[in-house]
Amino acid sequence: MTGRTDIQGNILRGYGSHSHAAYVFTRVTDPGAARAMLRRLLPRVASERDWVRPPPSRLNVAFTHAGLQALGAPAEPFAGYDDFRAGMDARARVQLGDLGANDPAHWDVRLTDRAHVLFIVYGHDEDTRDGEVARVRDALGAGGLDLVHLQRADVRRGAREHFGFRDGFSQPALAGVSTDRRSLRGEGVARRAWRRLLGDQWRPIRLGEFVLGHRDEDGIVPGAGHPLLRNGTFMVWRKIEQDVAAFDEWVRAWAGPEHRAQEMLRARIVGRWPHGASLVRRPPAGRGGPPRGADPDRDTAQPEINDFVYGGDADGLRCPLGAHVRRAYPRDALGFRTERTRRNRIIRRGMPYADDDPPSRGLIFVCFNASIARQFEQIQGNWLMSGDPFGLGDDRDFLTGGLDNAGDVTRLTIQGDRASPPAVVTRDRQFVTVRGGYYLFVPGLRALRMISEGG
């Protein structure tokens, strides 16, 4: 099993039919018993081979660096991955810009550095998911593992997150996986000019940008020579609480009572309309007006929904320079077509959550990448939390950026012209607060067996 069937599931292709998930964080108390439990679970761990006939539920496994050490896995393969070895809480302040209310000192203590092994359960429905969770929990005691935290998450109607925007449909087009050429539009790497003249505008991104042991965009094979790394990937898990009431109240205060004006302001903050169409493809018809030619059902059904770049909107008249999706994936906004951003893509597999005790709702952000520092931390720390790459000075992302330790004001500049004058909106409270997170390693199935056997 050396090909893609050795890669755990939900990485190269999402579990589209499994809209309910649970994240079972555990801590090793007896290494031998824990390894034996992993060996028993191995036949149930989902991989790429389960794609054709998906079972009712799926199980995947990931490890923190401390967890690999506790299980006796060799340390040498991870010697060059300082980000993974340190963990999210240790790097959050400097690399991620988590300050003030987002500082790790305020995180849920269970979501800092306590967990060793993460079992991820997916189900077609809640009962299927919860039944599988019960089976995992029943096995923990005899399996040398203690439960640290259980987090459920569920896809909402229309695949919308709690602020009301459709989410999760923009993903990298992967070489050897994304076979539909239409899916390459805007999701691959832009071809050189002479290829574009022939109608061949996009190519898929090499697998090594996301999975170790495969060639990446620089022609290098990350993780080469280490069987434990082969077909593995690094997972970022982050719990983000959304203050929906504060966001809605702020929008009404700035945009006024008219619904169209409120939708316009929301779209300019995010960079897409709630149904997913980009402001570049569906620019505003005028201040407070609807998007030109907008047809929500038609737009979201088209593969071309992601087929756009920002080169023709360098001044931000269609989509503000500081809009959330423009900062999170600048496409060609940094120059050289998409060459400067092809090495900073991530595969996202998150889900919304709604907790009862204490009541809160938000997003479980999950992404996979071959380099946490070059990919996730570059996006979060340098693009979302710093405005320098976009000529925006120290302006943080207006939607997700927290207030710093001084509790200052965050602003968004909405570029304009004579037809639609520019504006600056500000906020002095957070819409999004980080509640904790982990950096984890998701091994291939052969490597998972090695870990279960003590290295």
Side-chain angles (χ1 to χ4, degrees):
M1 200 167 14
T2 59
R4 291 210 313 267
T5 56
D6 186 48
I7 301 171
Q8 287 199 50
N10 205 38
I11 297 172
L12 302 186
R13 292 179 285 198
Y15 293 157
S17 61
H18 291 64
S19 55
H20 303 273
Y23 305 92
V24 186
F25 290 93
T26 65
R27 187 172 182 85
V28 175
T29 56
D30 182 334
R35 288 194 295 268
M37 178 186 174
L38 288 174
R39 288 194 295 273
R40 291 193 298 271
L41 287 178
L42 272 172
R44 293 163 55 190
V45 176
S47 76
E48 270 287 292
R49 69 173 179 269
D50 301 315
W51 180 258
V52 178
R53 295 181 179 178
S57 65
R58 284 176 163 123
L59 174 69
N60 292 113
V61 186
F63 304 88
T64 63
H65 183 255
L68 291 172
Q69 290 181 307
L71 291 168
E76 189 271 334
F78 300 97
Y81 297 96
D82 293 342
D83 42 18
F84 169 63
R85 292 190 297 116
M88 183 185 294
D89 59 325
R91 295 171 67 87
R93 297 177 183 87
V94 176
Q95 278 78 15
L96 302 180
D98 288 341
L99 304 173
N102 291 340
D103 190 286
H106 305 301
W107 289 4
D108 184 332
V109 68
R110 300 167 299 178
L111 301 177
T112 52
D113 61 351
R114 294 193 172 190
H116 288 156
V117 185
L118 170 62
F119 298 98
I120 315 164
V121 177
Y122 303 91
H124 282 307
D125 52 53
E126 292 185 56
D127 290 341
T128 302
R129 185 261 322 264
D130 292 344
E132 185 66 21
V133 168
R135 283 187 284 275
V136 171
R137 293 187 66 174
D138 288 345
L140 293 182
L145 294 160
D146 283 348
L147 179 67
V148 173
H149 181 60
L150 171 59
Q151 178 68 59
R152 291 179 174 85
D154 306 272
V155 174
R156 302 178 70 235
R157 184 175 181 180
R160 306 232 176 174
E161 48 76 54
H162 291 287
F163 288 148
F165 288 83
R166 186 171 175 238
D167 190 30
F169 56 86
S170 178
Q171 300 286 1
L174 307 179
V177 179
S178 304
T179 56
D180 184 354
R181 296 192 63 80
R182 295 178 301 172
S183 69
L184 301 181
R185 299 176 183 178
E187 296 303 339
V189 178
R191 296 279 196 183
R192 296 187 179 277
W194 68 272
R195 295 290 295 269
R196 297 202 303 275
L197 290 175
L198 298 176
D200 190 10
Q201 298 186 1
W202 301 92
R203 67 167 176 82
I205 301 174
R206 291 177 177 172
L207 196 58
E209 291 298 308
F210 311 99
V211 181
L212 305 176
H214 299 264
R215 198 170 303 280
D216 65 19
E217 285 290 317
D218 279 354
I220 298 170
V221 180
H226 297 292
L228 199 64
L229 299 181
R230 174 75 180 177
N231 287 326
T233 184
F234 292 105
M235 173 182 176
V236 176
W237 192 98
R238 195 164 163 90
K239 185 174 182 178
I240 303 171
E241 183 177 348
Q242 296 173 266
D243 192 337
V244 178
F247 182 59
D248 291 344
E249 180 183 342
W250 179 90
V251 169
R252 288 192 296 269
W254 277 87
E258 186 181 13
H259 176 72
R260 290 191 302 170
Q262 294 177 14
E263 288 296 281
M264 173 76 72
L265 182 54
R266 291 171 182 269
R268 282 174 162 161
I269 291 171
V270 174
R272 289 185 185 265
W273 297 95
H275 55 72
S278 168
L279 291 184
V280 174
R281 289 183 57 85
R282 301 291 185 190
R287 173 164 296 202
R292 289 196 186 104
D295 181 343
D297 294 332
R298 181 173 179 270
D299 277 356
T300 54
Q302 291 180 336
E304 293 83 357
I305 190 173
N306 293 313
D307 185 12
F308 65 90
V309 290
Y310 296 110
D313 185 39
D315 295 327
L317 297 181
R318 292 188 172 207
C319 179
L321 300 178
H324 174 71
V325 298
R326 186 164 184 162
R327 296 177 69 137
Y329 176 27
R331 299 176 184 257
D332 66 337
L334 303 181
F336 300 99
R337 303 184 309 279
T338 56
E339 292 292 320
R340 290 185 62 182
T341 58
R342 78 189 197 282
R343 305 223 62 208
N344 308 112
R345 302 296 304 279
I346 55 176
I347 296 173
R348 295 182 297 121
R349 298 285 185 244
M351 279 190 192
Y353 76 87
D355 291 346
D356 294 328
D357 186 22
S360 68
R361 52 182 168 168
L363 179 71
I364 300 301
F365 173 90
V366 173
C367 79
F368 299 108
N369 42 205
S371 169
I372 296 171
R374 171 170 52 80
Q375 292 165 278
F376 169 70
E377 289 184 347
Q378 166 69 16
I379 294 170
Q380 177 65 30
N382 294 334
W383 289 350
L384 293 179
M385 295 298 110
S386 172
D388 279 346
F390 313 100
L392 300 173
D394 60 357
D395 287 355
R396 293 178 288 278
D397 177 49
F398 193 80
L399 183 67
T400 65
L403 304 176
D404 68 12
N405 289 318
D408 65 349
V409 172
T410 300
R411 67 180 184 180
L412 171 69
T413 301
I414 300 174
Q415 288 73 31
D417 53 20
R418 290 183 179 180
S420 182
V424 176
V425 296
T426 62
R427 63 174 172 86
D428 58 3
R429 53 183 170 176
Q430 291 187 199
F431 303 141
V432 164
T433 303
V434 181
R435 294 304 182 193
Y438 283 100
Y439 289 160
L440 304 112
F441 177 65
V442 185
L445 295 190
R446 293 183 67 187
L448 182 57
R449 180 169 294 281
M450 290 174 59
I451 294 169
S452 73
E453 294 172 350

